[in-house]
Amino acid sequence: MPESRTTMPAVDRKARLRLPAEPAPKQPAAERVRNWDEVFLGFDAEAARREAQRCLQCPAAPCTKACPLGNDIAAALWRIEHADPVGAAGVFRETSNLPEVCGRVCPQEKLCEGSCVVGLKGKATPVQIGKLEQYCTDLQRGTTGIPVPEVACTGAPVAVVGAGPAGLAAAEELAKTGHPVTVYDRWPLPGGTLRYGIPSFKLSKAVLDAKIAQLRAMGITFVPERTLGRDLDVAALCANGFAAVFLGYGASAGNRLEIEGRDLPGVLLATDFLVRANLPPTHLPGDRRRPLAIGERVVVIGGGDTAADCARSAIRLGAREVTLAYRRTEAEMPGRAEERRYARDEGVRIEFLAAPLRVLGVHGAGRAAGVEFARMELTEPDASGRRGVRPVAGGEFTIPADTVVVATGYHVDEAATAAVRGLATRTGAIVMAEADTGRTSVPSVYAGGDATTGPHLVATAVAAGRRAARAIHEDLAAAAARSEDIGPAAVSTPHGAGHPGVHWSAHPLPPPVGALRRPRPEDGSVGALLDQWIDDLRFSNTQDGD
């Protein structure tokens, strides 16, 4: 067992700053385009130890302050450095329910790694925190397995709607505190966006399956193919024995392009394209089991990670020409630079300053044949410093395409929100919920994750699920105590009819991912940092394609 950070000897930070970054082994582009396996091959034990040794063990821990989950990163890396990767995985699991996922898909360059002192001022590569998080949790899963805590069902039953990051985190935390948990989801298999929105070359389905198996071993029940407003009703759940309901159904409805030709055959929204490209038909709803026939030329419209995912999937499906079109420049793209590098290496061409005007059809065939674009140029920055775009006169041009994929962002499904009677929302069908507890305007109903913010990060969704689970347990325990004192007739809901004192409209909206700045040491607590993130920022639910 390594020494704890509180008793460790002083480290030579100047010497550590001179240590080179460890090369990250990857599949060569020519090989990986022929499979759906993850690109990063993982560190071995010695490489991971050398990379972890680059951590300066900063007392202020700016990396932790930049993490939405508050992971004790320095403590985890100290354990990796001292040959205790399973212990390191345990450190991550103290504050995160999905470290094996966050290590793969979080934008570390804008969060923990963006705050790493080693990488400040561009003098060195930041410590590769995400890849080390992936290393230790993968090793744990492959040796000792994901720990299954012993739980006793001593609490009131709780229903969770949505089996994505927020729902899975809430379910696990509730089960730990003794609540029988049933998770309902609209997809055939649990995982939500982790399974149906992220390609396997970024997040192996085996990683997710192992996590779901752990949750099942804790006694959590999953009920598939249940959709709010169609065959799932929150009021009925409450009437049929559930003491509380957590809404974690996310923001998975794809934004459409309001241009001519958008409904032509061959034009697909990103989710429809990704699920049919990345999963076997037996894992899909019946209406999405038709094989994809994408042809040789694919155009993807958008600028975020989802757009890059679609373009890279098209390459793996055999497209000869794949173009990713974005209406601004690379400097404004909201997606990860690493994903763009991977896409370019795999043969994707990126067309900047291109705004779609219309989808062109094959005369008489009624199918997409290309996209007409307007050439754009950047305007001068506005008062906020953001540069707009405007069309260049006479700059129209056409890119041929057999398939057009629209990846311009996501929004909350209005039908899901409308299905919960009395649920207060803000613009965009975003659920209004109390920031620290997830309480909503409906007694016994809580919410968290993208349903309360619009599309954002896996880490912020997990954090919201954890906060709501804690509040649900505390509210139900308080209700049970009152029931024992004054009788069950006087206690109708866990947090009181009419919600006295509950400011459920105050849930802050996190900024678009592209707006996240590198935290500074004076930022203080993670909560203070989140407050600064949201100060004077206006969330855009089209961030994937803006």
Side-chain angles (χ1 to χ4, degrees):
M1 180 69 66
E3 298 176 86
S4 71
R5 288 199 304 132
T6 58
T7 60
M8 69 176 184
V11 299
D12 186 341
R13 293 188 173 91
K14 289 185 178 179
R16 290 186 173 222
L17 281 170
R18 293 192 292 271
L19 296 175
E22 195 66 23
K26 303 179 183 70
Q27 285 196 77
E31 294 181 10
R32 66 182 187 246
V33 296
R34 297 196 296 269
N35 63 61
W36 294 83
D37 298 335
E38 290 185 359
V39 173
F40 177 55
L41 298 174
F43 286 134
D44 61 26
E46 184 57 28
R49 187 197 65 77
R50 290 194 298 266
E51 183 63 23
Q53 194 175 20
R54 298 178 65 230
C55 175
L56 302 183
Q57 296 293 321
C58 305
C63 53
T64 290
K65 293 175 183 176
C67 174
L69 288 159
N71 290 335
D72 192 347
I73 294 165
L77 269 53
W78 181 255
R79 287 182 174 272
I80 292 173
E81 180 183 344
H82 291 82
D84 184 19
V86 173
V91 172
F92 282 117
R93 293 193 193 280
E94 288 176 5
T95 48
S96 174
N97 302 82
L98 296 168
E100 53 276 282
V101 174
C102 291
R104 288 167 161 85
V105 304
C106 266
Q108 289 96 3
E109 70 280 2
K110 295 176 180 176
L111 298 171
C112 55
E113 293 178 17
S115 303
C116 177
V117 174
V118 175
L120 287 177
K121 301 180 181 178
K123 291 184 177 180
T125 302
V127 178
Q128 298 173 76
I129 297 168
K131 290 179 172 58
L132 289 172
E133 184 177 17
Q134 176 179 339
Y135 158 75
C136 67
T137 51
D138 283 357
L139 187 142
Q140 180 193 51
R141 186 178 65 254
T143 55
T144 63
I146 303 175
V148 179
E150 293 185 8
V151 297
C153 292
T154 57
V158 179
V160 172
V161 179
L168 295 179
E172 181 172 7
E173 293 304 300
L174 286 163
K176 287 178 182 177
T177 52
H179 296 279
V181 181
T182 302
V183 181
Y184 298 88
D185 194 74
R186 67 190 182 95
W187 294 100
L189 295 175
T193 188
L194 305 179
R195 184 182 301 276
Y196 291 96
I198 300 177
S200 298
F201 52 76
K202 289 175 63 176
L203 173 60
S204 168
K205 301 297 185 285
V207 173
L208 182 59
D209 288 341
K211 180 63 185 181
I212 299 301
Q214 179 233 9
L215 298 178
R216 291 187 192 277
M218 292 176 63
I220 296 170
T221 301
F222 291 91
V223 179
E225 298 185 277
R226 296 292 186 272
T227 302
L228 274 178
R230 188 182 67 191
D231 45 25
L232 185 64
D233 181 74
V234 169
L237 291 174
C238 293
N240 290 318
F242 288 105
V245 178
F246 174 76
L247 303 178
Y249 51 75
S252 59
N255 296 332
R256 297 175 60 84
L257 285 177
E258 297 303 321
I259 60 174
E260 179 185 343
R262 63 185 180 275
D263 294 322
L264 283 171
V267 180
L268 300 171
L269 292 180
T271 296
D272 190 30
F273 177 79
L274 285 173
V275 298
R276 293 167 63 191
N278 281 273
L279 289 112
T282 53
H283 293 179
L284 300 176
D287 61 350
R288 283 179 163 157
R289 294 182 178 178
R290 301 183 310 280
L292 274 175
I294 64 171
E296 294 190 340
R297 300 169 299 184
V298 175
V299 169
V300 180
I301 300 171
D305 286 342
T306 301
D309 292 346
C310 291
R312 297 174 64 199
S313 294
I315 290 286
R316 285 162 173 77
L317 290 173
R320 180 171 53 85
E321 297 176 9
V322 179
T323 303
L324 194 160
Y326 177 58
R327 70 192 188 103
R328 298 177 185 270
T329 70
E330 186 162 12
E332 289 81 35
M333 290 188 90
R336 301 183 69 184
E338 182 180 60
E339 297 301 320
R340 294 195 293 278
R341 288 196 300 271
Y342 288 164
R344 286 190 172 105
D345 290 346
E346 293 167 7
V348 174
R349 182 173 71 92
I350 303 180
E351 184 77 46
F352 295 107
L353 293 169
L357 295 175
R358 59 180 177 140
V359 179
L360 306 173
V362 178
H363 183 69
R367 183 178 174 84
V371 183
E372 182 181 353
F373 290 92
R375 178 64 68 197
M376 310 298 286
E377 64 181 3
L378 293 179
T379 63
E380 292 301 314
D382 59 19
S384 68
R386 181 174 175 79
R387 303 183 71 178
V389 289
R390 63 190 173 206
V392 176
E396 294 79 11
F397 64 99
T398 298
I399 301 178
D402 303 304
T403 296
V404 179
V405 182
V406 179
T408 54
Y410 293 93
H411 60 273
V412 178
D413 186 353
E414 294 182 3
T417 302
V420 185
R421 290 185 295 275
L423 189 64
T425 62
R426 52 163 60 93
T427 302
I430 293 172
V431 178
M432 299 169 75
E434 190 177 26
D436 294 333
T437 66
R439 295 181 185 128
T440 72
S441 58
V442 180
S444 305
V445 177
Y446 302 71
D450 288 3
T452 63
T453 64
H456 212 255
L457 304 177
V458 170
T460 54
V462 170
R466 291 172 65 88
R467 289 193 300 269
R470 182 171 59 249
I472 291 169
H473 174 65
E474 291 173 354
D475 288 347
L476 292 177
R482 291 196 303 271
S483 178
E484 292 177 0
D485 290 340
I486 60 178
V491 182
S492 58
T493 65
H495 50 272
H499 306 282
V502 175
H503 304 291
W504 46 261
S505 63
H507 197 296
L509 294 180
V513 176
L516 299 180
R517 64 162 174 81
R518 174 180 290 163
R520 296 183 292 269
E522 62 268 25
D523 285 338
S525 69
V526 173
L529 175 60
L530 291 173
D531 289 342
Q532 291 176 358
W533 278 355
I534 65 171
D535 186 36
D536 295 329
L537 285 169
R538 178 173 58 85
F539 184 83
S540 165
N541 63 14
T542 61
Q543 59 177 317
D544 208 352
D546 190 22

